[in-house]
Amino acid sequence: MKDDFGRDIYYLRLSVTDLCNLRCVYCMPEEGVGKRCHSDILSVEEIEEIVRAAVDCGIRKIRVTGGEPLVRKGIIEICRRIAAIPDVQELCITTNGTLLPQYASQLREAGVSRLNISLDTLDGDKYTTITRGGSLKDILVGIDAALEAGFDNIKINTVLMGGVNDAEIPAMVALTRKNINVRFIELMPIGECAGWSKDRFISNSKVLEMAPELSEVGSSGVARLYRLPGADGTVGLISPISSHFCPTCNRIRVTSDGKLKPCLHSSDEVNLRGLHGQALVDTIRNAVRIKPKQHHLDEDSRSGSIRNMNEIGG
Ligand code: SAM
Ligand code: SF4
């Protein structure tokens, strides 16, 4: 499906919950979020109906996210139903990894093709501080469980924060020698971290300064890809602040309460709940038509989105 600027929109990021078992400092309020009524979030049936309509419009890749998608009741059924929709070419999940020992094999059997696992540090104390209480051991066990379940091409997502984890860039890059892909994501001033001091927001160019042996090998979606000599895995740089990728944006987002967000950094939302059949398809198509040409986010401004990241899904 083309938007009004000729961009091919084929990627849906679908949030299935805004709850999470961690409280990452840049994403969630310390006190968490109030539990919603069951009826406030999309049911498994509503999710399937929305995804089917989006696929009718031309969506081919779905990423299930959250909050933490693996705390959502019925997550395996959600994945099974999405994977069974003809024309869904790729079903991925972004997870904090902590519940993978319990779910990795079931996700694989349900038809999930790839996993992105968020990990900002390899230092146990720092991990506990960033996630406000999480245990690094849990996520390392989770990564092992995913490998054992047969997931390959696992990507680690690392959000860089100046003065917090940037000294670990070489250690994170070295993970690519173990056939793990690492994606560095620039911290975006949205929700919880919108008011943080400027020195926390660092450009991904720091990765290339601290790991000069990386050489560019191409691109994948919005990531520029690099490789260490002889390494199996790649390093990806996702740079929404220092290098806007809006001209090649290919995605829309749906929140767990059924709002379509044409752009991550805009407050525009289009309700999908209660719509069926052609009305649902038409509403998705029209929402894509109001996708802005670009966002206006840089290190001096905050996102126009009114939601925290746990309510959007990254
Ligand atoms: N709970 C899952 C996880 O952590 O992978 C999925 C949801 S989380 C909101 C999705 C991604 O958004 C994570 O990789 C997280 O690090 C990233 N994220 C959250 N807040 C961010 C921010 N302000 N800037 C950049 N990335 C952010
Ligand atoms: Fe939870 Fe993911 Fe947000 Fe961390 S980044 S608080 S794991 S939703």
Side-chain angles (χ1 to χ4, degrees):
M1 149 177 58
K2 295 270 188 214
D3 73 1
D4 277 3
F5 303 99
R7 293 172 294 198
D8 190 18
I9 309 299
Y10 60 86
Y11 176 15
L12 166 63
R13 296 182 66 102
L14 175 73
S15 174
V16 293
T17 179
D18 50 17
L19 300 178
C20 187
N21 54 350
L22 298 179
R23 299 276 180 274
C24 299
V25 286
Y26 47 75
C27 178
M28 283 277 258
E30 186 162 11
E31 64 281 10
V33 286
K35 215 167 177 197
R36 294 186 190 236
C37 277
H38 194 56
S39 59
D40 288 341
I41 61 164
L42 296 173
S43 66
V44 175
E45 291 73 23
E46 287 176 299
I47 289 175
E48 181 182 0
E49 193 177 7
I50 288 173
V51 175
R52 281 187 182 274
V55 169
D56 279 352
C57 295
I59 293 294
R60 294 290 174 266
K61 171 176 174 180
I62 317 282
R63 177 174 302 282
V64 173
T65 176
E68 173 47 41
L70 301 189
V71 305
R72 165 71 199 248
K73 204 162 160 245
I75 183 64
I76 301 300
E77 180 62 14
I78 290 171
C79 292
R80 189 173 290 123
R81 289 187 184 211
I82 295 174
I85 298 173
D87 290 335
V88 168
Q89 291 168 358
E90 219 183 339
L91 170 61
C92 314
I93 290 200
T94 296
T95 170
N96 63 32
T98 53
L99 297 175
L100 283 173
Q102 191 179 332
Y103 285 121
S105 319
Q106 295 178 65
L107 291 171
R108 187 100 185 117
E109 281 159 22
V112 174
S113 36
R114 280 199 301 106
L115 295 179
N116 283 32
I117 303 176
S118 300
L119 175 63
D120 298 332
T121 175
L122 297 169
D123 175 304
D125 291 338
K126 212 179 275 181
Y127 183 84
T128 301
T129 305
I130 292 173
T131 58
R132 295 199 186 97
S135 152
L136 179 63
K137 206 170 138 236
D138 289 348
I139 173 171
L140 297 179
V141 174
I143 294 173
D144 282 345
L147 290 167
E148 259 170 48
F151 284 105
D152 49 17
N153 203 8
I154 291 176
K155 291 185 185 139
I156 301 290
N157 283 355
T158 302
V159 175
L160 279 179
M161 290 163 275
V164 176
N165 61 352
D166 47 339
E168 291 186 67
I169 288 172
M172 299 299 297
V173 166
L175 292 177
T176 61
R177 295 199 186 281
K178 300 183 183 159
N179 201 12
I180 284 179
N181 302 294
V182 178
R183 299 281 176 265
F184 290 101
I185 304 170
E186 286 176 350
L187 179 69
M188 292 177 272
I190 182 167
E192 280 304 294
C193 64
W196 281 12
S197 71
K198 263 182 102 172
D199 49 0
R200 288 282 181 265
F201 297 88
I202 55 172
S203 162
N204 263 339
S205 59
K206 184 130 191 208
V207 174
L208 302 177
E209 279 163 34
M210 292 182 72
E213 52 299 22
L214 286 172
S215 49
E216 193 163 353
V217 291
S219 63
S220 168
V222 294
R224 299 196 72 80
L225 298 183
Y226 299 80
R227 201 185 289 276
L228 286 176
D232 292 319
T234 56
V235 169
L237 302 186
I238 300 178
S239 311
I241 309 290
S242 66
S243 144
H244 289 190
F245 43 69
C246 304
T248 54
C249 185
N250 52 15
R251 58 197 62 188
I252 51 175
R253 294 171 168 82
V254 172
T255 61
S256 59
D257 55 355
K259 304 285 190 287
L260 189 154
K261 279 182 75 69
C263 171
L264 170 61
H265 293 299
S266 160
S267 60
D268 283 344
E269 297 184 347
V270 176
N271 179 50
L272 300 181
R273 242 185 151 182
L275 301 175
H276 307 281
Q278 197 56 43
L280 181 55
V281 169
D282 290 346
T283 304
I284 295 173
R285 283 194 201 282
N286 289 335
V288 165
R289 298 206 61 186
I290 61 164
K291 194 171 162 63
K293 189 172 180 193
Q294 64 176 83
H295 65 69
H296 298 281
L297 194 62
D298 58 33
E299 58 269 29
D300 293 321
S301 59
R302 40 172 80 192
S303 174
S305 176
I306 47 174
R307 292 177 182 252
N308 269 337
M309 206 56 139
N310 68 296
E311 299 174 286
I312 305 173

